[in-house]
Every structure is written in structure tokens, then in C-alpha cells.
Amino acid sequence: FLDRHLATTGRAIITHNAFVGLDRSRQALDARGLSLRVVLTVLVNIPYDKITRMTRTVLEAENGRTVHRYGPYSFGEVHIVEIARTRKPG
């Protein structure tokens, strides 16, 4: 896990799908002495083959919220997040 590899003052920058709960990720990181901060949110194209594999439940819940459709095109919000230590390891 990241906490084993992150230096005391280090930071990790990763992408995080907006429709995957940030609160759940924050809780998991907090349990390991790490924090999560959203640095930027961007829209990325969701290819047709991927959008057709998404569950109906996710699409209905996220349509217009984190999944946006413009004609035949679909886009999803993706967060760029920074993960940092909140306490020293050990």
C-alpha cells in the first residue's frame, strides 16, 4: 500500500473517478495516516465500449452528475488527487 512507500513529506498524485466515492477513499487513507485532497477535476471521454459496460445503476445515479452525455459522446469527471501523510509512520 502507498503508506509503505511514501516519504514523510512526500506526496502522491493520482486520478480518481468522481463516481467512486471520495469519502470511502478518504476513510481508507485516513486509517493509514494519509489524507486525500482534490487538486483538479477534469472531464475525460468515456469510450462507447466502456459506457456500455457500466451498470444501469451507476449510469442512472451519475447521469448529469459525474457522467455527462453530449449527443453520441459521453464524458466522466475524474479528480486529480494529492495524497499526503497526516502523521509519521510507525
Side-chain angles (χ1 to χ4, degrees):
F1 198 77
L2 184 60
D3 60 330
R4 295 181 196 148
H5 303 283
L6 194 61
T8 302
T9 59
R11 302 278 191 265
I13 305 294
I14 65 169
T15 59
H16 190 290
N17 287 333
F19 58 84
V20 175
L22 280 172
D23 289 337
R24 185 174 176 194
S25 296
R26 277 193 178 103
Q27 289 173 348
L29 290 166
D30 185 58
R32 294 190 172 270
L34 302 170
S35 65
L36 179 149
R37 179 176 71 95
V38 175
V39 177
L40 182 68
T41 301
V42 296
L43 285 179
V44 297
N45 179 57
I46 303 174
Y48 177 79
D49 62 329
K50 185 171 183 177
I51 199 86
T52 59
R53 292 183 186 142
M54 293 175 75
T55 66
R56 175 180 229 114
T57 305
V58 169
L59 286 174
E60 288 175 357
E62 300 303 321
N63 193 35
R65 194 174 89 75
T66 63
V67 174
H68 308 277
R69 296 182 178 211
Y70 303 98
Y73 305 102
S74 299
F75 298 89
E77 291 182 13
V78 174
H79 300 305
I80 309 302
V81 300
E82 177 188 72
I83 298 172
R85 287 201 181 278
T86 55
R87 60 182 182 267
K88 290 185 179 184

